Amino acid sequence: MALIEYRKLTKLYKNVPALNGIDLDIPAGRIVGLLGPNGSGKTTLIKLTVGLLTPTAGTVMIDGFAPGPQTKAITAYLPERSYMSEWMTVSAFVSYFADFYSDFDKNKAYEMLSRLGIDPKRTLKTLSKGTKEKVQLVLVMSRAAKVYFLDEPIAGVDPAARDYILNTIIRNYSENASVVISTHLISDIENVLDDAVFLRNGQVILADSADNIREKSGKSVDMLFREVFRC
Amino acid sequence: MLGKLMKYDMKYMARILPWLYVGGLAFSALMTAFILVIKDATLLFLGIYASYFMFIIAVEAISVCSSVFMMVRIYKNMFSDEGYLTFTLPVKNGDVLNSKIFTGAIWTFISGTVAVVMIAMPIAAASYKLPKMSADGMGFGLLIESIIKQFSVGLAGNEAKLIIFILLVIALIAVSAFFAPAFYSFCCAVTHKVKRARAFASVGIFIGVSYGIGLLMSIITVIVEIFGEYVSDTTGVNTITPTALIYDTSELSAYFGSRLNIMTVELLIVGTVMLTITVVSWIVANRIVNKKLNLL
C-alpha cells in the first residue's frame, strides 16, 4: 500500500489550474524527487499534502488519512521560506518542536546545532538567512517522521551548503520513512533519488524509479529533465 | 494540545504587556500618593485635572497596546509565513484559532482589570481625602456626601434591578473580552487569500466594521434613551422637584428605577449585538481555517 495517495487532485487559483487531476502513489521507504520547472505545481502539491491548502477537487491520503492532526503528527515539512518567529531563541524552538511532536529528538537537535556551531541561546533575528535555514533543517530532520516533505531545500544556497543539507537529509531520515524533495536542481540530488516524478503545468508527465528512467531513456534523470523541459 | 498552543500565545503577549501594566500601576500609585500627601486644596484639584488627561492616555495606551499585540499575534502566527509552522502542527486548525481567541480574551480581561485598578486607586484616595478638605471652604466634601446619600436613597427599593444591571455589566465585559480576538480572527481569515497588503486589509476591515458597530450602538443607545425618557415623562417619573433630590425618597427611587430600566435595555441590546458578532465571527473563522485554508 502506498504511504501517500493522490487521486484526481486538482487545485485552482482563480480558475487557473495549478494542479490538474493528479493521480500518484508514493510508497514508503523511498526518496522521491518532485521535479519540474518553476510554476509546475511542486509547491502546491506539497502544501496540499501538509494541509496548508485545501484541494479544489480530488483527495490526498497519507497513511490512510486525509490531512489533519493524525497526518501532521507523522509528516515533517520544510518549506521554501522561514516559518520561525524572529523573537524566539533557537532553544525555544527546540522546546516548541519537542512540545508538539512526539517523534522529535531534542538531543539529536542540540547535537546537530553544536556541530554547526549555532548557539541555541541566540534569537532568530540575530541569525543570518543561511543559518536560519540550517536551524529549520535541523528541527525538521530531528524528527523521526514517516514522511518528510522538503520544498526546495537546496535552492539559493552555495554548493558547500548544498552538500551539508543533502548529507543531513540522508544521514537523518529513518529507513522506513519516505522523503519527498522538490527541486529543479536535479544534478545535485540525482544520486540520492530512488524515484522521480516530473511535473509540468500541474500534471504528472512521468513517475518512475530513477533506475528505470536511466535504463529506459539511456540518460541520467538530469539529462532527461533538461530534454523534456527544454525551453 | 490547546493548552500547549495557549502557553506559547501567552508567552508572546507576556513579552511587553506586563511592563506596560507595571508602568501604568506605578503612575497610578504616584497619583494616589500625590492626592494623599498634598495639603493645599487648589493645588490638589489642579493636579487631579492635569493628571486626568495623562490617565486617559495611559489607560488607552494599555488598551490599544494589548489589542495591537493580540492582532499582530493572530495575523503573524496564523496567516503570515509563521502559519506554515502553526498549521502543520499536529493539532486541529480550530484549536489554533481557539487558542488565539482564549488568550486574547484573557489578556483583554487582565488589561481591563489593570485599567480599573489604575482608576480606582486615585478615586479611592480622592474620596477619602476630599471630605476632609471641606473644612477649607471648598465644599467638595459636602458634594460627595450629598451624592452618596442620593444614591443610597434612590437605589432603595431598586435592589433587584441593580443586581440585574450589575450581572449584565459583568456579562458584557465577558463578551467584550472575546469580541476583539474573535472578530479580528474573522477579518484575518476572510482576507487571508488576498495576495497583497493582507495585513492592511484585515486591519482595515476590523477598524471599519468596529467603527460601524460603534456608530450603530450609539444610534441604538440614543433611540432607547429618547424612548425611555419619553415613557418616564409620560408616567411622571421624571418630574422631580429640586428638593426631592435630597428629601423625597419615593420620587428619587422612581427616578433611579426608571434610569436603571433604560440602562438595562441599552445593555441588553448592545450585549446581544456584540455576542452575535462574536459568535458569528468565531463560527465563520473556524470554518475557514478548518475547511477553506489556503496559505499562499
Side-chain angles (χ1 to χ4, degrees):
Chain A
M1 183 188 150
L3 182 61
I4 307 162
E5 294 176 354
Y6 302 97
R7 294 288 174 266
K8 305 269 177 257
L9 187 65
T10 301
K11 180 68 188 172
L12 305 179
Y13 292 126
K14 290 181 181 170
N15 293 326
V16 178
L19 288 180
N20 202 350
I22 296 260
D23 282 303
L24 181 68
D25 287 346
I26 293 179
R30 309 285 286 179
I31 300 182
V32 181
L34 205 54
L35 314 173
N38 294 331
S40 56
K42 304 187 295 291
T43 298
T44 300
L45 185 66
I46 290 178
K47 282 163 79 173
L48 282 163
T49 319
V50 297
L52 294 178
L53 293 176
T54 308
T56 308
T59 57
V60 185
M61 301 296 269
I62 304 138
D63 211 18
F65 297 99
Q70 281 155 311
T71 65
K72 289 172 186 177
I74 58 164
T75 306
Y77 170 52
L78 181 73
E80 86 287 18
R81 59 184 81 186
S82 173
Y83 58 25
M84 297 185 289
S85 311
E86 296 278 299
W87 60 277
M88 282 172 79
T89 61
V90 175
S91 64
F93 261 106
V94 171
S95 302
Y96 187 84
F97 268 65
D99 258 356
F100 285 101
Y101 298 110
S102 56
D103 58 10
F104 184 77
D105 186 341
K106 235 177 170 177
N107 294 331
K108 189 174 173 181
Y110 279 120
E111 195 185 302
M112 287 164 81
L113 288 169
S114 142
R115 235 184 294 138
L116 282 165
I118 297 171
D119 180 4
K121 288 181 188 140
R122 288 181 66 178
T123 54
L124 266 292
K125 67 179 165 204
T126 65
L127 301 178
S128 68
K129 187 172 171 275
T131 310
K132 278 181 205 166
E133 283 173 3
K134 283 176 187 163
V135 171
Q136 216 159 261
L137 181 72
V138 165
L139 292 169
V140 169
M141 296 315 296
S142 296
R143 289 185 57 197
K146 270 193 172 181
V147 57
Y148 298 82
F149 284 96
L150 314 174
D151 194 359
E152 306 279 5
I154 53 172
V157 295
D158 60 75
R162 275 181 207 173
D163 286 346
Y164 170 78
I165 290 167
L166 289 172
N167 286 335
T168 306
I169 294 165
I170 302 307
R171 273 205 305 267
N172 291 288
Y173 88 101
S174 66
E175 282 186 13
N176 297 325
S178 288
V179 182
V180 178
I181 306 175
S182 131
T183 186
H184 48 259
L185 302 167
I186 300 150
S187 58
D188 289 296
I189 64 158
E190 174 158 0
N191 56 346
V192 302
L193 291 184
D194 294 316
D195 299 316
V197 176
F198 282 17
L199 280 175
R200 178 158 59 191
N201 298 331
Q203 287 182 314
V204 175
I205 56 167
L206 176 70
D208 207 343
S209 73
D211 289 340
N212 276 350
I213 290 172
R214 283 188 281 261
E215 199 178 306
K216 284 179 195 168
S217 67
K219 298 178 182 104
S220 68
V221 178
D222 184 36
M223 281 173 68
L224 183 66
F225 179 88
R226 286 167 196 270
E227 197 178 292
V228 170
F229 295 105
R230 186 173 290 138
C231 297
Chain B
M1 284 295 185
L2 180 64
K4 285 180 184 173
L5 288 166
M6 284 181 70
K7 181 177 97 176
Y8 285 96
D9 287 332
M10 290 295 283
K11 264 188 187 175
Y12 176 87
M13 302 285 277
R15 286 161 63 216
I16 298 280
L17 290 183
W19 299 108
L20 269 176
Y21 298 157
V22 168
L25 289 171
F27 176 63
S28 179
L30 271 176
M31 281 267 305
T32 308
F34 172 76
I35 291 168
L36 290 173
V37 168
I38 206 82
K39 289 203 164 57
D40 181 78
T42 314
L43 198 61
L44 173 67
F45 281 100
L46 275 176
I48 289 176
Y49 281 123
S51 306
Y52 172 75
F53 294 103
M54 288 167 72
F55 226 176
I56 298 294
I57 291 168
V59 171
E60 280 294 315
I62 285 181
S63 159
V64 169
C65 282
S66 62
S67 298
V68 168
F69 251 63
M70 178 197 69
M71 287 160 77
V72 169
R73 177 64 176 173
I74 289 171
Y75 173 75
K76 280 189 86 174
N77 196 247
M78 291 172 74
F79 300 109
S80 73
D81 289 351
E82 285 179 31
Y84 280 61
L85 176 58
T86 310
F87 284 117
T88 48
L89 294 172
V91 298
K92 289 178 191 159
N93 288 358
D95 278 350
V96 172
L97 175 75
N98 292 340
S99 165
K100 302 281 178 289
I101 291 173
F102 286 131
T103 311
I106 289 169
W107 282 106
T108 306
F109 184 76
I110 294 172
S111 298
T113 308
V114 169
V116 167
V117 172
M118 273 178 69
I119 294 166
M121 282 203 298
I123 286 179
S127 305
Y128 167 77
K129 190 75 182 287
L130 287 174
K132 289 181 188 304
M133 300 190 87
S134 58
D136 294 339
M138 299 294 288
F140 288 103
L142 276 176
L143 179 67
I144 286 176
E145 275 176 28
S146 160
I147 290 170
I148 291 169
K149 191 177 175 188
Q150 281 174 34
F151 265 82
S152 59
V153 169
L155 290 173
N158 290 311
E159 289 84 358
K161 285 180 183 176
L162 183 65
I163 289 169
I164 290 170
F165 179 75
I166 291 170
L167 287 175
L168 276 173
V169 169
I170 293 168
L172 187 66
I173 290 169
V175 172
S176 305
F178 284 93
F179 171 81
F183 184 56
Y184 186 64
S185 299
F186 163 81
C187 295
C188 284
V190 167
T191 57
H192 89 277
K193 281 192 266 185
V194 177
K195 270 197 173 176
R196 285 182 188 174
R198 210 182 297 164
F200 181 75
S202 58
V203 171
I205 293 178
F206 179 77
I207 292 173
V209 176
S210 296
Y211 271 100
I213 293 166
L215 187 67
L216 180 71
M217 299 291 190
S218 302
I219 293 168
I220 290 171
T221 307
V222 168
I223 291 169
V224 173
E225 280 286 335
I226 292 169
F227 183 72
E229 291 296 323
Y230 171 75
V231 171
S232 299
D233 284 344
T234 52
T235 52
V237 173
N238 272 358
T239 327
I240 305 176
T241 52
T243 48
L245 282 173
I246 299 173
Y247 303 112
D248 195 318
T249 308
S250 60
E251 273 191 39
L252 206 55
S253 180
Y255 178 75
F256 267 74
S258 160
R259 286 303 316 161
L260 277 172
N261 285 343
I262 293 170
M263 289 194 296
T264 301
V265 171
E266 284 169 4
L267 272 186
L268 268 174
I269 294 172
V270 170
T272 308
V273 171
M274 285 185 79
L275 183 65
T276 307
I277 293 170
T278 304
V279 171
V280 170
S281 299
W282 204 328
I283 290 169
V284 174
N286 229 305
R287 180 161 173 76
I288 290 173
V289 296
N290 276 317
K291 307 272 183 199
K292 307 270 182 197
L293 185 71
N294 281 297
L295 282 189
L296 301 175

